[in-house]
Amino acid sequence: GGRMFRGSVTVGDDHSDELQAVLKGGIIPITVTGVKGFFSLVFNFNEKTPGRLAWMVSTTNDITEETTPLTLLEEADIDSEEKKYLLSEIFRSSEKCHMKPYLPTKVVDFSEDYLSGLQGRWGGKGLVTLLGDAAHAMRPTDGQGGNMAFEDVVVLYRQIGNGGSVQQALEEFERKRLPRVRKVHHSQRERYEERMRGEAANPLSEEFSAWLLAGV
């Protein structure tokens, strides 16, 4: 698990030249990974909103009411003084409401104990099913949460098109998707935990990458 902070800031003439240069640094101009208990990204918001940066900070460290992105930054063992300086300026320029953490992040429990009573499904019932993050939220590692959601749509479309009752289609949809989703879910959890321990996540194996890219 972990806690996350998110915010945004509009960069103007009153900010440093270094921060203004970040606006020309591409979609994700600042990335901090491989630092124990600290993970951060800065995004150029949208070309329709020039001058605006969005940011996120995630931590697995214990936090208190006094914890903010700034206190986490001060405690983080970041090698790059330039990144620390830029993140500090970004956080200090953000609104106070962004200094409070989001609700604790949680992901779906795919343990055998949890799934044993669901007859091969992941939580849908009757004429109701769940897709994407509602069914199998994943840790923010390789963007697989979005990919799995797209795959859900494809498989669900096929199942409904096969005929039969809607309830049968939904049941079969979840049963077909569950093994693949569990495998990806496990991979994302391991890679996220590696990053939050300050370890560099190893590249996906060729075998796993081929299986993943083969799709559904």
Side-chain angles (χ1 to χ4, degrees):
R3 300 301 298 271
M4 182 177 291
F5 298 77
R6 294 177 182 173
S8 61
V9 60
T10 299
V11 179
D13 294 337
D14 55 332
H15 290 97
S16 68
D17 292 341
E18 292 82 358
L19 187 56
Q20 292 184 50
V22 170
L23 297 172
K24 302 177 182 179
I27 297 175
I28 309 178
I30 301 176
T31 303
V32 177
T33 61
V35 177
K36 185 177 181 179
F38 186 93
F39 177 79
S40 184
L41 297 173
V42 176
F43 307 87
N44 268 304
F45 200 77
N46 189 300
E47 61 182 13
K48 296 180 180 179
T49 313
R52 196 160 185 81
L53 295 172
W55 56 265
M56 62 76 63
V57 172
S58 179
T59 183
T60 52
N61 297 338
D62 293 332
I63 69 171
T64 68
E65 292 183 357
E66 286 72 39
T67 302
T68 69
L70 281 167
T71 63
L72 291 172
L73 179 64
E74 292 169 359
E75 297 168 359
D77 186 18
I78 301 175
D79 293 336
S80 172
E81 290 298 323
E82 180 184 9
K83 286 185 178 181
K84 291 187 73 170
Y85 171 80
L86 291 171
L87 287 174
S88 177
E89 185 173 4
I90 289 170
F91 297 157
R92 293 180 189 280
S93 301
S94 299
E95 296 181 18
K96 289 184 178 180
C97 63
H98 296 153
M99 297 297 104
K100 297 293 184 181
Y102 274 55
L103 294 173
T105 57
K106 296 182 179 180
V107 295
V108 175
D109 182 1
F110 275 149
S111 67
E112 293 293 344
D113 288 342
Y114 174 77
L115 293 173
S116 61
L118 299 180
Q119 291 78 49
R121 301 187 67 177
W122 58 41
K125 186 176 182 180
L127 298 178
V128 176
T129 190
L130 302 170
L131 282 74
D133 282 355
H136 40 70
M138 299 193 183
R139 289 168 174 82
T141 307
D142 300 312
Q144 289 304 316
N147 288 344
M148 291 299 102
F150 284 123
E151 288 189 2
D152 283 349
V153 173
V154 172
V155 176
L156 179 59
Y157 174 80
R158 290 174 182 164
Q159 285 305 128
I160 292 177
N162 285 340
S165 72
V166 173
Q167 181 170 333
Q168 289 175 332
L170 299 185
E171 290 174 357
E172 190 62 19
F173 155 69
E174 291 189 22
R175 292 192 182 102
K176 283 189 173 182
R177 288 291 291 146
L178 186 55
R180 180 174 173 87
V181 167
R182 285 187 74 186
K183 187 172 181 177
V184 175
H185 189 274
H186 178 73
S187 167
Q188 296 300 282
R189 185 191 70 214
E190 286 190 334
R191 291 167 64 75
Y192 176 81
E193 290 174 353
E194 286 175 354
R195 289 182 177 180
M196 297 313 294
R197 288 195 300 267
E199 303 170 6
N202 293 319
L204 297 172
S205 69
E206 291 185 8
E207 180 182 3
F208 185 87
S209 296
W211 170 81
L212 187 63
L213 292 173
V216 292

